[in-house]
Amino acid sequence: MAKVLFVMTGTPYWTLKDGTRYATGYWAEEFAAPYKALTEAGHEITVATPGGAVPTVDMMSLRPAMAGSAQIALDLEAIIRSAEVMRRPIHLANARLDDYDAVYLPGGHGPMEDLSVDADVGRLLTEALPSGKPLAIVCHAPAAMLATRIHGKSPFIGYRVTGFTNEEEEEVGLAKRARWTLETELIALGVDFTKGEKWKPYTVVDRNLYTGQNPASASPLAERLLKVI
């Protein structure tokens, strides 16, 4: 049995360019699908958030049209409700890489607000890369890579990664309203950003770093993670 740390956003909003707060949090599928796959395989999950805040689900991700169907939305909600670890997250500041066999970051727009500037997640990701332990990050959660910058340099420079694309952000109507977009900032960070077809599953592996482009990529990413833990 492996111990897997889920590093999650602790905010229920994302501040847009005009200063308004867009209601968000984590994306249901990106937590629920990997959580179900890993726990059913017998692995132990711990959730960590900035300040130990209880994660907020983005309610849009539970709409049948966004989840795929009314039944899928109900199934996702049931998984979230049954996950006791979601109600008692640890403080991200107290998370130690040595205590876990792998690290996973689900997305949603929340990480754009808090994980992108969180020193504790920056420390954890910086330690994870040379450790050889699997580090899996999906959708908007690669925003956490921005928190690893020191004097403009990041250990992720040159890594092949994917994440939520500008085209996908445009289609949800937030690209023009955002202070910055994930694809643009990751490219500026110095990663080798790659992408697949919009809204389709797409994952990338570079050494021990596993990334997924969008919500549809969460399950394939979990499958890859299962194979290496």
Side-chain angles (χ1 to χ4, degrees):
M1 180 187 73
K3 294 184 177 180
V4 183
L5 179 68
F6 275 38
V7 178
M8 302 184 64
T9 179
T11 184
Y13 64 86
W14 179 30
T15 306
L16 300 177
K17 187 163 48 180
D18 63 0
T20 60
R21 289 183 172 184
Y22 176 78
T24 184
Y26 69 90
W27 198 257
E29 181 181 3
E30 295 171 25
F31 166 78
Y35 176 83
K36 183 174 186 290
L38 289 164
T39 54
E40 286 184 348
H43 302 301
E44 180 183 331
I45 308 297
T46 297
V47 171
T49 63
V54 174
T56 298
V57 65
D58 187 325
M59 295 308 295
M60 186 177 295
S61 67
L62 292 173
R63 292 179 183 175
M66 300 301 288
S69 72
Q71 186 57 56
I72 293 174
L74 288 173
D75 291 344
L76 292 174
E77 192 170 3
I79 293 168
I80 292 167
R81 283 201 311 268
S82 69
E84 288 290 333
V85 293
M86 292 289 272
R87 289 183 280 279
R88 44 183 177 79
I90 68 170
H91 287 240
L92 185 53
N94 296 331
R96 297 290 175 265
L97 185 65
D98 288 347
D99 296 333
Y100 304 96
D101 302 293
V103 179
Y104 170 65
L105 282 72
H109 282 98
M112 302 281 279
E113 180 75 21
D114 59 358
L115 297 187
S116 64
V117 294
D118 189 277
D120 293 311
V121 80
R123 166 188 57 79
L124 191 71
L125 298 191
T126 297
E127 293 173 357
L129 280 184
S131 74
K133 295 181 179 182
L135 172 60
I137 314 177
V138 72
C139 201
H140 284 92
M145 296 178 189
L146 304 177
T148 65
R149 285 179 293 201
I150 298 178
H151 305 303
K153 299 291 185 180
S154 166
F156 285 92
I157 290 174
Y159 271 77
R160 190 166 175 264
V161 306
T162 190
F164 204 69
T165 66
N166 286 346
E167 186 179 14
E168 288 166 325
E169 201 72 84
E170 287 166 4
E171 290 204 358
V172 298
L174 290 170
K176 291 181 180 178
R177 300 173 62 193
R179 291 175 295 166
W180 50 275
T181 58
L182 181 63
E183 178 182 343
T184 299
E185 286 300 305
L186 287 178
I187 291 171
L189 185 70
V191 306
D192 178 10
F193 190 88
T194 179
K195 53 190 171 183
E197 186 179 350
K198 62 183 180 181
W199 307 119
K200 300 295 185 181
Y202 182 73
T203 60
V204 173
V205 180
D206 188 343
R207 287 156 278 186
N208 60 319
L209 177 63
Y210 299 74
T211 51
Q213 179 173 316
N214 48 33
S217 306
S219 287
L221 197 65
E223 290 171 9
R224 287 194 159 199
L225 189 57
L226 278 169
K227 289 178 181 178
V228 293
I229 62 172

